[in-house]
Amino acid sequence: MATETNTIEQFADQEYKYGFITDIEADSTPAGLNEDIIRFISAKKQEPEWLLEWRLKSYRHWQKMEEPRWPNVKYPPIDYQAIVYYSAPKKKIELKDISEVDPELLRTYDKLGIPLREQEWLAGVAVDAVFDSVSVATTFKEKLRELGIVFCSFSEAVREYPDLVRKYLGSVVPANDNYFAALNSAVFSDGSFCFIPKGVRCPMELSTYFRINAADTGQFERTLIVAEEGSQVSYLEGCTAPMRDKNQLHAAVVELVALDNARIKYSTVQNWYPGDKEGRGGIYNFVTKRGKCAGVNSKISWTQVETGSAITWKYPSVLLIGDNSVGEFYSVAVVNNYQQADTGTKMTHIGKNTKSTIVSKGISAGHGQNSYRGLVEMKKNATNSRNYSQCDSLLLGDKCGAHTFPYIEVKNTSSKAEHEATTSKIGEDQIFYCKQRGLSTEDAVNMIVNGFCREVFHELPMEFAVEAQKLLGVSLEGSVG
Amino acid sequence: MSLLEVKNLHASVNGKEILHGINLQVNIGEVHAIMGPNGSGKSTLAGVLAGREAYIVTEGQVLYQGKNLLEMDPEERAREGVFLAFQYPVEIPGVNNSYFLKAALNAIRKHKGLEELDAIDFLSLLKQKTKLVDMNESFLNRPVNEGFSGGEKKRNEIFHMAVLEPTLAILDETDSGLDIDALKTVSEGVNKLRSKENATIIVTHYQRLLNYIVPDFVHVLVDGIIVKSGGKDLAIKLEELGYDWVREETVHAV
């Protein structure tokens, strides 16, 4: 019989079985970044002059900025001149049928419950006419269009809705906000744009369509969501299926704007390549996500399940400007092997009677290092505001770490902020208890970890929650079997 | 063939031998009580039978239904019908009690080649079993043992036993921390589950539990060895005379 330590080590031993596929015949710029490269990107995308100017201005800001050193993560210096900033995918190498796909990959898709057709698509099999992702997407789009909802790629939005883009781009995350946001503003390739007009409640989770279309979005993704007065939208980003990606640095920017009485729910599942067991390779995920509750009674809610990437640096935040507005942040972050995560949120209370809730669940396994970093700020005029924060950490094994950096600044006397934090170790006794009832070690760990994350999964849209639970199982799956 | 046969069992914890050669035979349909003072090795014996990893068997043999029990993983033992009611039931935050039991029961059923129960069948089974141990149905939707009082945890153990229907149940100090009313309810539950198809080992320090669950056999464990075995009267005599009486008698016998 293995000892407990062994069991946990085996669990922490799960390998990312998919590796990379570099199959893109690129129409790309040479490596490196200068103003000509930015002009090239802008020209390729046939952008208006104002956008080129905006990019160039961002680039000039970026040159004067320094890469942040305060996150609790370690990585070798990034050579920004070695990165290729534009590369248009030409075509994929297509497999003839699903029998050519790595059976391990298919097994994972099955575990995640992804429909066969989508499995084929994700694995790069040539899909036949019956499953035409373009036409599926078009059907959804037409439905949404009837309601006046715009949901399209960022490039398309620049062409079709330049005024909307111009009005809101950079209005939440200014181009010079931080190092990575400035870089993104200069070179962003594409992303998504979503506009919900006054009083419209988006009738579907913006997901199915998205899963089929989002996989090719690049390294410097840009997302902008605007919800007008009284509108509502639930947006799902990412994919529980393992993503292959040859780009190491990802620096996305997401901006959300909620006007009076509007609600935006933004859910993310991130499962990018985390590097190998020794910590080689893996994605650096340096993302700026921020929402602005611009109007009264508006609400923005972030939910994230982060299991991938070698390094995660992201703080989905909310600016609570409108009176009575509400900000929420629910997070599960998993680190295994040598993964590092420095993630959390910023809730900036500016309007009166504003409320925010933070629930953060960090799971560390292997040599993983997980940090929660949060700032709750209540400005002078944000009277009668409330915040509740809860940060729980779960450790699997004894080589990993959990850290918490909560900052609270309250500048008026009528507001209240509460912070609770716990750290626990997945116990030998818990696993034994489950096994004594007939459950396998794998199921026991799964169940305990899922129980730990329950409050966050509860916030995810139903089908996504099921996928996220399964994903957690896959992420912590070991050679125990 | 005995259901359980323990032969010359030696076991140690952290390099220190606790059990010095236990012999015990349990047949189907029987209830055995193992009594002994603190530190005599009662819980160690229960732990070894359930497969606790910290307990290392250094010598001896345990046959369960003729098979080598010590070779089986804890979950395999559970699926083969060995159940341990924990002295200190463990909390599993966020995991709903009925969800947990459904996963456990279906793992056992799968092992036995039975069809897994669906949500509806399982729920009606649960409701029936809550009555057996007089448990409030609200406990079904609470996380496993989280925020339960000591008595509620013990009752929940017996509830798990009622649902999983083990062949061999080992109750480790199930009476500790129970007030008299809870003791009665828990005992009634155990008695209702008692049948010709199963066997029970009750590990206890006090005789009072045995007033409610009457054993067929009583064994006295002192310093890692069974020094005396007898019928239910032995328990009463122990209560009167204390464990020193057995100790002295053993010395005289040697």
Side-chain angles (χ1 to χ4, degrees):
Chain A
M1 255 181 281
T3 65
E4 180 59 21
T5 327
N6 273 343
T7 312
I8 283 166
E9 270 167 10
Q10 279 168 314
F11 258 94
D13 244 12
Q14 177 251 347
E15 274 181 64
Y16 195 91
K17 302 173 184 85
Y18 324 108
F20 282 8
I21 291 186
T22 41
D23 57 2
I24 295 171
E25 218 181 285
D27 165 14
S28 54
T29 61
L33 187 56
N34 55 49
E35 295 202 0
D36 286 341
I37 298 276
I38 291 167
R39 286 197 174 86
F40 174 86
I41 296 171
S42 192
K44 265 269 182 204
K45 301 178 109 27
Q46 302 169 322
E47 287 175 353
E49 189 59 29
W50 67 264
L51 190 50
L52 173 63
E53 281 310 313
W54 194 75
R55 285 178 181 272
L56 289 171
K57 214 174 129 194
S58 307
Y59 173 67
R60 288 164 201 150
H61 269 299
W62 178 74
Q63 282 182 302
K64 285 182 236 143
M65 298 174 97
E66 270 185 42
E67 203 175 316
R69 289 281 164 230
W70 50 264
N72 188 25
V73 297
K74 291 186 189 78
Y75 56 93
I78 297 169
D79 181 357
Y80 292 91
Q81 293 305 331
I83 294 171
V84 173
Y85 288 87
Y86 183 82
S87 150
K90 261 191 172 169
K91 73 174 176 56
K92 289 179 176 175
I93 289 176
E94 291 187 330
L95 304 172
K96 281 191 202 74
D97 67 70
I98 200 142
S99 65
E100 291 179 30
V101 179
D102 179 1
E104 274 298 286
L105 186 60
L106 293 179
R107 198 182 62 85
T108 307
Y109 289 162
D110 273 338
K111 278 201 159 180
L112 294 169
I114 294 167
L116 184 67
R117 285 294 175 189
E118 268 183 62
Q119 291 189 16
E120 293 183 338
W121 179 84
L122 287 163
V125 175
V127 284
D128 59 33
V130 182
F131 179 75
D132 180 354
S133 65
V134 176
S135 71
V136 171
T138 313
T139 319
F140 278 128
K141 243 178 171 175
E142 276 166 10
K143 234 184 193 173
L144 296 174
R145 197 73 201 95
E146 281 168 25
L147 293 163
I149 295 171
V150 178
F151 185 35
C152 62
S153 74
F154 205 89
S155 318
E156 195 182 333
V158 170
R159 287 195 305 273
E160 307 287 328
Y161 311 94
D163 295 344
L164 278 177
V165 174
R166 195 170 184 178
K167 183 172 175 191
Y168 291 107
L169 179 69
S171 70
V172 186
V173 180
N176 60 354
D177 186 79
N178 68 70
Y179 190 78
F180 297 111
L183 179 63
N184 174 287
S185 302
V187 302
F188 69 87
S189 35
D190 212 332
S192 304
F193 176 76
C194 179
F195 174 82
I196 318 290
K198 216 179 246 188
V200 171
R201 189 176 173 161
C202 185
M204 62 182 89
E205 310 273 356
L206 296 180
S207 66
T208 322
Y209 156 78
F210 194 76
R211 176 151 79 194
I212 294 171
N213 284 267
D216 288 332
T217 49
Q219 192 173 8
F220 301 103
E221 205 179 328
R222 189 94 199 178
T223 304
L224 174 57
I225 299 175
V226 179
E228 279 199 331
E229 291 84 351
S231 68
Q232 284 188 29
V233 62
S234 168
Y235 187 90
L236 312 185
E237 177 204 34
C239 181
T240 52
M243 300 292 271
R244 302 135 205 246
D245 196 313
K246 68 189 173 82
N247 301 308
Q248 184 158 44
L249 174 66
H250 277 241
V253 171
V254 177
E255 297 178 279
L256 313 181
V257 180
L259 303 183
D260 290 355
N261 304 303
R263 283 166 177 244
I264 301 175
K265 186 176 175 68
Y266 192 104
S267 313
T268 307
V269 170
Q270 186 260 113
N271 185 21
W272 285 335
Y273 182 56
D276 68 11
K277 283 205 284 194
E278 315 304 323
R280 286 179 299 245
I283 305 287
Y284 296 172
N285 188 21
F286 299 155
V287 187
T288 307
K289 288 185 166 176
R290 194 173 303 151
K292 182 158 86 175
C293 281
V296 296
N297 305 318
S298 56
K299 180 177 174 184
I300 289 178
S301 179
W302 297 100
T303 308
Q304 60 171 18
V305 177
E306 303 275 326
T307 65
S309 297
I311 302 175
T312 301
W313 179 92
K314 71 182 266 199
Y315 314 91
S317 304
V318 185
L319 298 167
L320 297 150
I321 297 168
D323 290 350
N324 310 317
S325 59
V326 177
E328 293 175 338
F329 173 74
Y330 298 95
S331 167
V332 168
V334 181
V335 291
N336 196 353
N337 298 321
Y338 285 88
Q339 279 176 278
Q340 308 170 67
D342 192 306
T343 184
T345 184
K346 247 180 355 186
M347 292 291 175
T348 311
H349 295 251
I350 298 163
K352 294 180 181 52
N353 308 317
T354 47
K355 260 191 248 164
S356 63
T357 303
I358 298 169
V359 177
S360 161
K361 304 278 182 175
I363 299 162
S364 314
H367 293 79
Q369 295 294 327
N370 214 332
S371 302
Y372 167 81
R373 188 183 301 275
L375 170 62
V376 175
E377 198 182 354
M378 289 170 176
K379 304 276 194 194
K380 206 177 155 202
N381 293 326
T383 48
N384 293 312
S385 293
R386 296 274 180 277
N387 161 267
Y388 171 73
S389 304
Q390 183 191 333
C391 302
D392 299 324
S393 306
L394 185 68
L395 304 172
L396 281 80
D398 52 10
K399 296 182 190 76
C400 52
H403 316 269
T404 313
F405 305 97
Y407 300 88
I408 300 174
E409 289 172 17
V410 182
K411 300 205 173 94
N412 66 66
T413 51
S414 58
S415 293
K416 269 186 198 159
E418 286 175 69
H419 180 91
E420 284 180 24
T422 67
T423 301
S424 52
K425 234 179 132 169
I426 192 163
E428 183 187 346
D429 52 346
Q430 283 178 320
I431 293 176
F432 178 67
Y433 188 77
C434 295
K435 289 172 77 157
Q436 210 301 306
R437 294 298 183 259
L439 300 171
S440 67
T441 308
E442 195 180 325
D443 287 345
V445 172
N446 242 328
M447 202 175 261
I448 294 164
V449 169
N450 273 303
F452 174 75
C453 301
R454 196 162 80 151
E455 287 153 282
V456 175
F457 287 163
H458 194 70
E459 293 299 322
L460 287 171
M462 173 77 159
E463 59 161 317
F464 225 36
V466 174
E467 287 186 18
Q469 270 190 33
K470 290 178 186 160
L471 176 62
L472 220 61
V474 172
S475 297
L476 294 169
E477 180 180 85
S479 41
V480 180
Chain B
M1 185 183 70
S2 307
L3 177 65
L4 182 78
E5 215 169 327
V6 180
K7 293 179 194 164
N8 189 31
L9 182 68
H10 291 251
S12 43
V13 182
N14 296 328
K16 189 182 171 225
E17 188 170 286
I18 307 285
L19 301 180
H20 307 295
I22 301 282
N23 290 294
L24 178 68
Q25 196 172 325
V26 177
N27 295 311
I28 198 95
E30 293 175 351
V31 173
H32 289 244
I34 295 179
M35 302 185 67
N38 288 332
S40 59
K42 301 188 301 289
S43 284
T44 304
L45 177 59
V48 168
L49 294 178
R52 252 191 212 282
E53 289 175 1
Y55 300 153
I56 312 294
V57 174
T58 50
E59 208 185 319
Q61 203 185 13
V62 179
L63 294 176
Y64 170 73
Q65 294 178 326
K67 284 179 268 189
N68 184 349
L69 186 73
L70 302 176
E71 264 184 2
M72 300 180 198
D73 285 333
E75 62 268 38
E76 201 184 339
R77 300 181 195 198
R79 292 170 194 168
E80 289 281 339
V82 177
F83 178 91
L84 175 66
F86 284 61
Q87 182 177 7
Y88 304 108
V90 179
E91 300 187 2
I92 308 179
V95 178
N96 173 314
N97 207 16
S98 67
Y99 174 77
F100 177 78
L101 274 175
K102 183 166 177 246
L105 181 64
N106 280 336
I108 293 169
R109 289 181 65 93
K110 205 173 153 190
H111 179 77
K112 289 182 180 162
L114 297 170
E115 234 176 85
E116 294 183 23
L117 287 187
D118 63 25
I120 297 165
D121 289 345
F122 181 70
L123 195 66
S124 63
L125 175 85
L126 274 194
K127 292 203 167 166
Q128 183 197 326
K129 301 290 186 183
T130 49
K131 288 187 193 110
L132 203 68
V133 291
D134 193 22
M135 202 168 82
N136 190 315
E137 280 181 25
S138 69
F139 282 83
L140 297 178
N141 295 318
R142 286 173 57 181
V144 180
N145 294 323
E146 199 189 17
F148 286 26
S149 72
E152 286 165 348
K153 283 182 182 171
K154 294 296 177 72
R155 191 177 296 196
N156 196 33
E157 291 294 287
I158 303 306
F159 176 61
H160 283 192
M161 176 176 154
V163 173
L164 302 178
E165 298 182 326
T167 310
L168 176 67
I170 303 158
L171 312 184
D172 188 9
E173 306 273 7
T174 294
D175 51 334
S176 69
L178 290 187
D179 61 34
I180 194 73
D181 292 327
L183 184 70
K184 274 186 192 162
T185 324
V186 164
S187 310
E188 274 166 28
V190 173
N191 285 331
K192 283 180 205 159
L193 295 169
R194 201 167 163 175
S195 84
K196 288 201 160 39
E197 310 298 317
N198 60 34
T200 309
I201 297 174
I202 299 167
V203 173
T204 182
H205 183 89
Y206 298 106
Q207 186 267 338
R208 63 169 194 168
L209 177 66
L210 307 181
N211 288 335
Y212 300 98
I213 309 171
V214 181
D216 300 305
F217 299 95
V218 174
H219 309 276
V220 183
L221 186 64
V222 178
D223 298 332
I225 202 146
I226 291 180
V227 292
K228 206 168 178 62
S229 295
K232 60 184 176 194
D233 300 340
L234 179 58
I236 297 164
K237 201 161 179 193
L238 267 177
E239 185 77 359
E240 281 168 18
L241 303 172
Y243 288 111
D244 286 340
W245 160 70
V246 198
R247 278 201 187 100
E248 279 162 25
E249 227 182 42
T250 320
V251 172
H252 292 303
V254 169

